Amino acid sequence: MNAGQPANDAKAKAQKLQQALSLAAKENPRRRFHALYDKIHRSDILWEAWKRVKGNGGSGGVDGMTIDHIVKVIGEERFVDEIQTTLRNGEYRPLPARRKEIPKADGKMRPLGIPAIRDRVVQMATKIVVEPISEADFKDCSYGFRPKRSQHGAIRHIRRAVKKGVYWVVDIDIRGYFDNIAHDKLMQLVEQRISDRRVLKLIRQWLKAGFVKDDQFHETNLGSPQGGVISPLLSNLYLNYLDTIWEKKFAETGTMVRYADDLVILCRNKEQALRAIDVLKAVFGKLEVEMNREKSKLINLWDDKQGFDFLGMHHRKIPKKLKGNKTVSILRSYPSKKAMKSMRQKVKEATEPRNRLYWTMNQMVAELNPKIQGWKNYYALDSFADPFLNKIDWYIRKRLMLFWNKKRNRRKKHSKSRQAAMAAQLAGLKKLAS
């Protein structure tokens, strides 16, 4: 495929293939697909995979190869052709991922595996081909890293369940989920739908590729590293075992809502909630993963006694007075304390660096506005969130006032607040609260 070929041509062909695979998987839930590898190394699929990897950006892997180098030095067409040749000839071998530690909100570090860009392209091509088959089996309770599904969809699912009469919530955290996926059990689940040995070999190679940290190679005999293109799909496939059992045998016990490894079960009474915990323990035992007892909770939603955090939101039943002195409890969703802290931290990181004192107010506002809009799109789901979002708006104005005064070497850092506010307003500063 030529680099100059219309971009939507490869996309259209990829979509057509996905639709055909999805239809075949839905028509026969027991069908195993044995001829997929030749589709992975098709020119249009590899080209679409490269476009997606390029669009996602990100740094290079252990080989030091960057997207910019591929575009400007190697050439995109040559790069994709070389990948196609190695796959066709059976010569493809993945490199170990580059391990990077990224800070979590609780101060701990999350390990991230960054595959080489070549490996990201092959993983993306495999995902394009395999995902529609897996999607045919995935359940409605699952929302994480799936096409046309989102956190807001999961939250709406929770609200629908609570309206029907939910008073107890089982809030579950799986200890180190991505690091503890058993490779043999994962492959058994993959093999329920895929019998193409070359595709199975690809997936095994990625699981066993290992990682490099501080110039030291480490083997991976367990887990699906966060950071790989294929990892979210594999992790969903692993927990689909739980979703399937719950839907078949325990749907009456409570409503499950899952986003990747975060899940809640919404129950009518405490007895159902305690039974749900026993079921989860049994299924987790079979999957060889462990419930995090410190972070998992049993919550009583009745009469604003307790709430729970899920997907960056705090969810709580709050009394609301209606006409005629009638009071009802309505589930409200607003930013969690952890989310508020994270939002303030990101504002501080944007406004604090001394090398940004040379920026104009217009530049600083241009830096902040996409973040503000992103937060608003996510957190302004409920009008009840406005007071919390107002606090962040106030914090942003405070940080911009400090920035304004530091720029002018004013001793009183909190003076001239009106001037700073006016400058920010003229620069087009957005607001979180409606």
Side-chain angles (χ1 to χ4, degrees):
M1 179 174 291
N2 294 324
Q5 189 166 343
N8 59 359
D9 190 28
K11 185 176 182 179
K13 288 183 177 180
Q15 287 176 339
K16 189 175 180 182
L17 171 64
Q18 287 184 310
Q19 287 167 0
L21 290 169
S22 176
L23 189 63
K26 286 175 181 175
E27 281 181 347
N28 185 356
R30 295 191 175 185
R31 176 175 172 178
R32 297 177 74 212
F33 291 77
H34 66 276
L36 298 175
Y37 189 80
D38 60 324
K39 296 170 178 63
I40 290 171
H41 63 63
R42 261 173 39 178
S43 295
D44 53 326
I45 298 299
L46 285 173
W47 198 256
E48 174 63 15
W50 159 244
K51 281 193 301 167
R52 293 186 189 183
V53 170
K54 180 184 171 185
N56 290 339
S59 55
V62 293
D63 59 355
M65 187 82 70
T66 64
I67 290 172
D68 196 51
H69 181 80
I70 292 165
V71 172
K72 294 180 179 177
V73 179
I74 297 176
E76 297 173 68
E77 188 177 357
R78 178 185 162 193
F79 176 69
V80 173
D81 284 347
E82 286 176 355
I83 292 174
Q84 186 180 46
T85 301
T86 58
L87 286 169
R88 276 180 173 168
N89 295 343
E91 297 167 352
Y92 169 77
R93 300 291 182 275
L95 292 168
R98 177 168 65 86
R99 174 63 63 92
K100 184 180 179 182
E101 305 281 337
I102 57 171
K104 294 166 67 175
D106 59 6
K108 295 180 181 179
M109 303 300 284
R110 175 185 283 116
L112 195 68
I114 303 174
I117 291 167
R118 179 197 64 159
D119 295 328
R120 298 213 289 266
V121 172
V122 182
Q123 286 188 23
M124 185 65 81
T126 305
K127 183 187 174 195
I128 288 170
V129 172
V130 171
E131 187 172 60
I133 299 168
S134 300
E135 277 292 318
D137 298 330
F138 288 168
K139 306 304 177 187
D140 287 341
C141 66
S142 169
Y143 287 87
F145 309 111
R146 293 183 59 191
K148 298 178 182 177
R149 288 184 160 241
S150 67
Q151 292 101 321
H152 283 177
I155 293 168
R156 284 192 290 269
H157 195 149
I158 289 171
R159 289 186 162 197
R160 288 196 299 271
V162 170
K163 273 186 179 179
K164 293 176 183 176
V166 163
Y167 302 104
W168 290 85
V169 178
V170 181
D171 180 9
I172 296 298
D173 182 87
I174 302 174
R175 192 187 300 278
Y177 172 65
F178 287 91
D179 297 329
N180 290 292
I181 294 174
H183 290 174
D184 56 340
K185 293 195 172 181
L186 172 59
M187 291 310 301
Q188 285 175 20
L189 293 167
V190 173
E191 287 168 19
Q192 287 180 359
R193 275 300 206 167
I194 297 170
S195 58
D196 189 322
R197 290 183 179 181
R198 291 173 297 177
V199 175
L200 297 173
K201 182 182 176 182
L202 276 181
I203 296 171
R204 282 195 198 95
Q205 283 180 327
W206 290 322
L207 293 173
K208 302 289 186 185
F211 65 89
V212 173
K213 182 183 177 184
D214 300 327
D215 296 326
Q216 291 289 319
F217 172 76
H218 301 265
E219 290 184 352
T220 45
N221 297 312
L222 197 66
S224 178
Q226 287 176 273
V229 174
I230 201 77
S231 292
L233 176 60
L234 295 178
S235 67
N236 265 335
L237 205 152
Y238 200 64
L239 281 180
N240 188 57
Y241 175 79
L242 166 65
D243 302 343
T244 304
I245 287 177
W246 191 268
E247 186 180 271
K248 283 183 178 178
K249 297 183 178 180
F250 303 103
E252 292 300 314
T253 304
T255 300
M256 179 187 290
V257 180
R258 183 173 68 79
Y259 191 94
D261 59 326
D262 291 328
L263 66 100
V264 291
I265 297 178
L266 310 150
C267 305
R268 290 179 179 272
N269 55 56
K270 190 174 182 179
E271 184 184 359
Q272 288 180 335
L274 293 173
R275 187 183 181 214
I277 292 171
D278 289 337
V279 171
L280 289 174
K281 285 178 181 176
V283 177
F284 287 171
K286 288 188 176 182
L287 290 174
E288 296 181 34
V289 295
E290 186 183 349
M291 188 184 297
N292 188 331
R293 294 180 181 272
E294 292 78 32
K295 292 185 178 180
S296 299
K297 297 173 185 175
L298 179 61
I299 293 112
N300 181 1
L301 276 185
W302 181 259
D303 198 24
D304 192 23
K305 286 183 179 178
Q306 290 178 296
F308 64 99
D309 290 352
F310 188 64
L311 301 179
M313 298 274 198
H314 184 72
H315 309 274
R316 180 182 289 266
K317 266 192 169 183
I318 294 174
K320 182 181 180 181
K321 283 192 176 182
L322 302 177
K323 290 180 181 178
N325 278 338
K326 187 180 178 183
T327 301
V328 295
S329 291
I330 297 175
L331 189 74
R332 295 294 198 176
S333 305
Y334 50 91
S336 66
K337 289 180 180 178
K338 188 176 175 182
M340 294 283 284
K341 183 179 178 181
S342 175
M343 289 157 76
R344 284 192 290 267
Q345 182 62 30
K346 286 175 181 176
V347 172
K348 189 175 182 180
E349 286 171 0
T351 55
E352 191 174 43
R354 295 195 65 82
N355 61 358
R356 291 188 177 179
L357 292 177
Y358 298 101
W359 285 15
T360 64
M361 181 63 85
N362 282 32
Q363 287 175 298
M364 185 56 76
V365 167
E367 173 76 11
L368 287 171
N369 271 348
K371 294 180 174 64
I372 294 169
Q373 188 61 52
W375 293 328
K376 184 168 186 173
N377 291 346
Y378 187 75
Y379 290 104
L381 185 66
D382 189 326
S383 60
F384 198 83
D386 272 0
F388 300 88
L389 299 179
N390 262 322
K391 289 180 181 180
I392 301 299
D393 281 332
W394 176 86
Y395 184 76
I396 292 169
R397 291 194 296 271
K398 176 188 167 185
R399 291 300 315 176
L400 288 176
M401 179 184 64
L402 290 171
F403 162 76
W404 182 261
N405 287 328
K406 280 182 185 178
K407 261 179 80 70
R408 284 152 181 77
N409 289 318
R410 290 197 177 110
R411 289 185 179 181
K412 293 183 179 179
K413 294 178 181 177
H414 297 276
S415 66
K416 307 290 183 182
S417 60
R418 189 172 293 178
Q419 286 184 14
M422 184 65 71
Q425 187 178 348
L426 290 171
L429 181 68
K430 293 186 176 184
K431 290 178 67 178
L432 277 166
S434 55

